[in-house]
Amino acid sequence: MNRRGFTLVELLVVVAIIGTLVGLLLPAVQAARETARQSSCLNNLKQLGLAMQNHHDAKGCFPIGINNRINDWTIDASLVPYARGGWFPYLLPFCEEQRLYDNWLARVSVGTDGFMSFPDQTQIVSGFSCVSDPNARMLGLRGFKSNYALCGGGYRWGSGTTDINGKPATGIFSPVGSKSTTGTKIKDITDGLSKTVLAGEINLVRDDEGTPVSTTYDTRGTVWNNVHMNTLLVTARPPNTTAGDVIGWSCRSTTFAPCAATTGNLVMTPRSRHLGGAQMVMADGSAWFAVDTIDTIVFQQLGTKADGEVVSVP
């Protein structure tokens, strides 16, 4: 009676073939997963754009960008009862986060700080997290961090509430530097809604990674502690540039989110973990993928709302 079986060589050949097939298949599986993650992040941006439109419909304007009474910006305390804050809580009722908004409003309505000491600042709001970023859904020293930042214009910020050119806000959102808390209205966006950036993606950095710049933690994306340029991006440089951000308080420098300094002309650049660019949403709610190689001048002009330099999304 003859017995048939595999020789060791045959078994090794089969194992090698299976290993090769798995090696060929794995990149395709990973690419498919990233495509799904990217689509999810794009949908979040579209929902953010829709929330902004609904806010405008209800309030007659977009939310304010950021305020900072701590640093002597001339804001009437009776109109803005909190010391440092920004756009994030104003959007919550339009993002199915009414309870979180009510908790915040209950504090600021009686003059209690609603940002840096807000008890619910550790609540994760998943619609503001991009799953392509390993640091998404992250809590920092000052609570929840968002992967999405609103557009503060096409140029670096100078001192106070002007940009590097000494001009007022060129973007839809900006630091508040007067006694008015009224945000931008659609009629103010004379370059066109489809030609003006509303918001874009940023990468988040853990408070224990990279190289500390100034103090030890990273403030980028920290929506409950708005300091200079940590929740507003500008389109001064193409996405994912190797040039470091300049964040006006504290950051940590990594390869995927470099930080150069915490003083000087402030700038936070759109960044993502997607290959080759970052996703943006325009004032009309349309979303698109801004490639790393986009023309710098075109990108700058897309970040401004009323410069008369009307350019289209590439």
Side-chain angles (χ1 to χ4, degrees):
M1 179 177 177
N2 293 329
R3 293 185 176 181
R4 298 182 59 82
F6 295 110
T7 66
L8 179 59
V9 173
E10 289 173 328
L11 181 60
L12 291 174
V13 169
V14 171
V15 170
I17 291 172
I18 293 174
T20 300
L21 292 174
V22 170
L24 294 172
L25 183 61
L26 188 58
V29 172
Q30 292 174 332
R33 287 178 176 174
E34 170 52 24
T35 298
R37 290 192 290 262
Q38 187 169 332
S39 295
S40 173
C41 299
L42 186 66
N43 182 64
N44 285 345
L45 272 175
K46 290 179 178 179
Q47 292 302 313
L48 189 155
L50 180 60
M52 284 290 182
Q53 294 289 342
N54 289 338
H55 181 284
H56 192 285
D57 289 344
K59 307 293 184 181
C61 62
F62 292 115
I64 61 170
I66 59 175
N67 74 272
N68 193 340
R69 209 172 67 235
I70 291 176
N71 293 88
D72 297 325
W73 293 6
T74 55
I75 299 175
D76 188 338
S78 66
L79 295 175
V80 184
Y82 42 86
R84 177 181 287 158
W87 54 268
F88 182 69
Y90 296 104
L91 274 190
L92 294 175
F94 306 98
C95 300
E96 300 182 356
E97 293 289 345
Q98 186 68 44
R99 186 195 65 81
L100 184 58
Y101 173 78
D102 290 342
N103 291 348
W104 170 80
L105 187 62
R107 290 176 64 84
V108 300
S109 295
V110 296
T112 304
D113 176 60
F115 287 88
M116 289 184 288
S117 63
F118 183 43
D120 289 344
Q121 64 181 302
T122 56
Q123 180 171 326
I124 293 172
V125 184
S126 59
F128 289 86
S129 297
C130 175
V131 291
S132 290
D133 185 352
N135 290 335
R137 300 173 63 85
M138 184 179 65
L139 299 177
L141 181 68
R142 291 293 185 183
F144 174 64
K145 293 185 179 184
S146 170
N147 278 112
Y148 307 113
L150 304 188
C151 183
Y155 309 100
R156 287 175 173 233
W157 280 97
S159 60
T161 58
T162 60
D163 67 18
I164 194 174
N165 301 312
K167 296 180 179 180
T170 58
I172 297 175
F173 305 95
S174 65
V176 177
S178 69
K179 294 187 177 183
S180 171
T181 57
T182 301
T184 298
K185 298 177 173 60
I186 284 179
K187 67 180 180 62
D188 300 325
I189 308 173
T190 56
D191 286 351
L193 300 184
S194 65
K195 303 178 187 298
T196 306
V197 173
L198 183 85
E201 295 178 311
I202 60 171
N203 286 331
L204 300 180
V205 180
R206 298 195 317 268
D207 291 336
D208 62 352
E209 68 181 328
T211 304
V213 180
S214 185
T215 51
T216 59
Y217 57 96
D218 195 284
T219 64
R220 283 172 286 189
T222 307
V223 291
W224 294 109
N225 184 21
N226 290 246
V227 289
H228 302 286
M229 203 52 69
N230 76 332
T231 58
L232 296 180
L233 56 78
V234 291
T235 59
R237 303 182 299 207
N240 298 311
T241 176
T242 57
D245 294 339
V246 180
I247 306 297
W249 182 251
S250 179
C251 58
R252 300 178 70 93
S253 188
T254 67
T255 55
F256 55 84
C259 182
T262 57
T263 58
N265 296 314
L266 304 176
V267 54
M268 185 165 69
T269 299
R271 303 182 190 277
S272 82
R273 298 297 189 99
H274 313 309
L275 182 62
Q279 297 180 132
M280 316 293 291
V281 63
M282 308 303 279
D284 67 346
S286 60
W288 61 291
F289 190 77
V291 296
D292 295 343
T293 55
I294 189 173
D295 181 82
T296 300
I297 301 300
V298 168
F299 202 44
Q300 290 173 346
Q301 292 174 350
L302 286 170
T304 63
K305 67 179 186 293
D307 275 4
E309 301 163 335
V310 182
V311 295
S312 298
V313 170

